[in-house]
C-alpha cells in the first residue's frame, strides 16, 4: 500500500525538530556554565542518545540493528567525525559565542558540501553556488563585525564553529553514502554508538565524578535551580533523540532539500530562545548578517543539479540534523 505524502506534516516535524534543537542550545549553554566541560557534555549526550536509540530499536525492530563488517569503517567515520566531533566543536563554540551566532557559522555546512561535490566529485552545480558563497561570506563578515579591532567575536569560538561546519558537512556526505544501504534511523543509532565508544576512550568514564550531576544549577533569571542531571536528561532525550526522530519522520513527506531549507530557521529560533531565557542580545549588524548567511545557505542547499552523465546515481543529501 503506497504511503500517503503529507507535506504539512513534514513541515510541522521539521519545524518541531528545529525548535527542540534551538532550545537545546540554551540548555547546553547552562550546563557548560555549570562547569561541565565540552568533552564531558558531548560524551554524556552521545552515550545517552545511543542508549535511547538502541533501546527503542531493540524493542521495535531488533532485526534492523544487524551490522555487516564492511559497514564498520563508514559507521566509524560517520560517528566519530560526523557526530562526536561536530557536537564537541559546537559545545566549544557556544561556550564562547552566542548560541544563534555559533549556529549561523555551523550551518554554512551546505556551502562546503556544494564546493566539495563541485571540486572533488566533479558534479555539476548551478551558478547560484557563487551567489551562495558570496552571501555567506558577506554575512559572516557582518556577524563577526570584523571592523571592530579584528572582530567582536572570540577567535577560538569562531574557529570551533567553522570546524563544526566542516564536520557537519562530513556527516551529510558520509550519511549520503550510508543511506544508500541502511535506513536513516539505524544509521544514526549506530553513529551515536560509534561516537559513544570514541568518547569512552577519549574521556574515560572512571575519570568522571558523577556526583556533580546532583549539583543545583540556576536555569532562569530568578532563583529557580534544578539538578544538573535534569539538564543532561533534557539534552539527551529532547535535545538529541526526539528532534532526530522528528527530522527523520519528516523525510517521507518532504524532499531532503526542502527539509534542509526549512531547518535553516534553527538559528533564528535559537537566538530568540537565548534572548528570552538568558538575555543573549545580538547587535543589529549580527542579526542582519545572520539573515544574509541564511539566504546564502538556502541557495547552497539547491545548488546541486544531481550527477554528471558518467557518474553513478547518488542519493540526495539528507536533511540537516543539527546539534
Amino acid at each position: 500500500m503506497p504511503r500517503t505524502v503529507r507535506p504539512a506534516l513534514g513541515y510541522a516535524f521539521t519545524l518541531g525538530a528545529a525548535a527542540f534543537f534551538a532550545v537545546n542550545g540554551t540548555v547546553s549553554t547552562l550546563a557548560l556554565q555549570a562547569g561541565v566541560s565540552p568533552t564531558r557534555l558531548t560524551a554524556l549526550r552521545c552515550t545517552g542518545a545511543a542508549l535511547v536509540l538502541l533501546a527503542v530499536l531493540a524493542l521495535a525492530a531488533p532485526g534492523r540493528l544487524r551490522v555487516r563488517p564492511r559497514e564498520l569503517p563508514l559507521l566509524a567515520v560517520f560517528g566519530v567525525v560526523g557526530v562526536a566531533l561536530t557536537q564537541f566543536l559546537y559545545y566549544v563554540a557556544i561556550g564562547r559565542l552566542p548560541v544563534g551566532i555559533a549556529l549561523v557559522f555551523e550551518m554554512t555546512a551546505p556551502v562546503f558540501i556544494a564546493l566539495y561535490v563541485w571540486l572533488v566529485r566533479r558534479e555539476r552545480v548551478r551558478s547560484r553556488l557563487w551567489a551562495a558563497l558570496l552571501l555567506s561570506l558577506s554575512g559572516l563578515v557582518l556577524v563577526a563585525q570584523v571592523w571592530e579591532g579584528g572582530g567582536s567575536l572570540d577567535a577560538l569560538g569562531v574557529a570551533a564553529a567553522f570546524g563544526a561546519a566542516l564536520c557537519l558537512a562530513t556527516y551529510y556526505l558520509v550519511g549520503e553514502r550510508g543511506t544508500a544501504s541502511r535506513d536513516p534511523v539505524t544509521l544514526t543509532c549506530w553513529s551515536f554508538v560509534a561516537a559513544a565508544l570514541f568518547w569512552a576512550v577519549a574521556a574515560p568514564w572512571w575519570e568522571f565524578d558523577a556526583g556533580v550531576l546532583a549539583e543545583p544549577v540556576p536555569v532562569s533569571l530568578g532563583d529557580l535551580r534544578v539538578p544538573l542531571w535534569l539538564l543532561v536528561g533534557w539534552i539527551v532525550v529532547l535535545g538529541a533523540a526526539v528532534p532526530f526522530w522528528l527530522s527523520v519522520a519528516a523525510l517521507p513527506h518532504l524532499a531532503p532539500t526542502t527539509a534542509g531549507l526549512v531547518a535553516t530557521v534553527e538559528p533564528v529560533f535559537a537566538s530568540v530562545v537565548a534572548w528570552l531565557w538568558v538575555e543573549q542580545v545580538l547587535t543589529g549588524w549580527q542579526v542582519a548578517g545572520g539573515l544574509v548567511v541564511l539566504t546564502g545557505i538556502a541557495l547552497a542547499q539547491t545548488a546541486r543539479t544531481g550527477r554528471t552523465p558518467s557518474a553513478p546515481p547518488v542519493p540526495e543529501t539528507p536533511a540537516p540534523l543539527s546539534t
Side-chain angles (χ1 to χ4, degrees):
M1 182 177 180
R3 178 179 295 176
T4 302
V5 176
R6 299 174 181 172
L9 190 61
Y11 283 112
F13 283 160
T14 304
L15 289 172
F20 275 112
F21 280 132
V23 174
N24 180 67
T26 296
V27 175
S28 297
T29 298
L30 293 172
L32 292 168
Q33 292 174 346
V36 182
S37 69
T39 299
R40 186 55 62 191
L41 188 58
T42 309
L44 288 168
R45 189 185 189 200
C46 291
T47 304
L51 292 174
V52 169
L53 291 169
L54 279 173
V56 170
L57 284 170
L59 291 173
R64 292 164 62 185
L65 287 172
R66 295 190 184 92
V67 177
R68 295 179 291 273
R70 67 173 180 271
E71 295 179 284
L72 293 177
L74 182 143
L75 292 175
V77 174
F78 195 49
V80 174
V81 179
V83 175
L85 294 183
T86 298
Q87 293 184 29
F88 168 71
L89 291 169
Y90 171 68
Y91 283 147
V92 172
I94 65 173
R96 294 173 172 272
L97 302 173
V99 174
I101 287 179
L103 279 171
V104 164
F105 277 96
E106 183 184 351
M107 292 194 73
T108 58
V111 179
F112 291 117
I113 292 171
L115 287 172
Y116 173 85
V117 299
W118 175 62
L119 292 170
V120 178
R121 291 187 181 174
R122 302 297 182 184
E123 289 184 18
R124 295 193 184 100
V125 294
R126 296 182 175 94
S127 58
R128 71 189 66 173
L129 172 62
W130 309 115
L133 184 60
L134 179 61
L135 284 170
S136 297
L137 292 176
S138 301
L140 291 175
V141 167
L142 295 176
V143 168
Q145 299 181 148
V146 296
W147 57 87
E148 291 192 358
S152 64
L153 302 179
D154 180 87
L156 180 57
V158 170
F162 267 130
L166 290 171
C167 290
L168 190 59
T170 302
Y171 177 96
Y172 298 152
L173 290 165
V174 176
E176 188 176 61
R177 291 181 56 193
T179 53
S181 58
R182 179 172 285 276
D183 68 274
V185 176
T186 58
L187 179 64
T188 300
C189 174
W190 283 117
S191 72
F192 272 109
V193 170
L197 293 174
F198 168 79
W199 286 118
V201 175
W205 287 107
W206 57 86
E207 296 179 1
F208 175 55
D209 179 12
V212 302
L213 296 176
E215 295 292 327
V217 177
V219 295
S220 70
L221 299 176
D223 296 327
L224 180 62
R225 291 172 174 265
V226 300
L228 181 57
W229 64 260
L230 190 60
L231 293 183
V232 173
W234 177 288
I235 291 167
V236 168
V237 179
L238 298 179
V242 169
F244 165 75
W245 176 82
L246 288 171
S247 297
V248 173
L251 295 181
H253 306 286
L254 291 179
T257 297
T258 303
L261 292 174
V262 176
T264 59
V265 302
E266 184 188 340
V268 179
F269 286 171
S271 295
V272 172
V273 171
W275 172 55
L276 294 174
W277 194 342
V278 294
E279 294 189 330
Q280 283 189 353
V281 180
L282 306 184
T283 69
W285 285 115
Q286 289 172 332
V287 172
L291 294 175
V292 172
V293 172
L294 293 180
T295 303
I297 292 169
L299 287 176
Q301 287 275 9
T302 59
R304 296 177 67 177
T305 62
R307 58 187 179 91
T308 56
S310 59
V314 178
E316 191 174 0
T317 303
L321 299 177
S322 188
T323 50

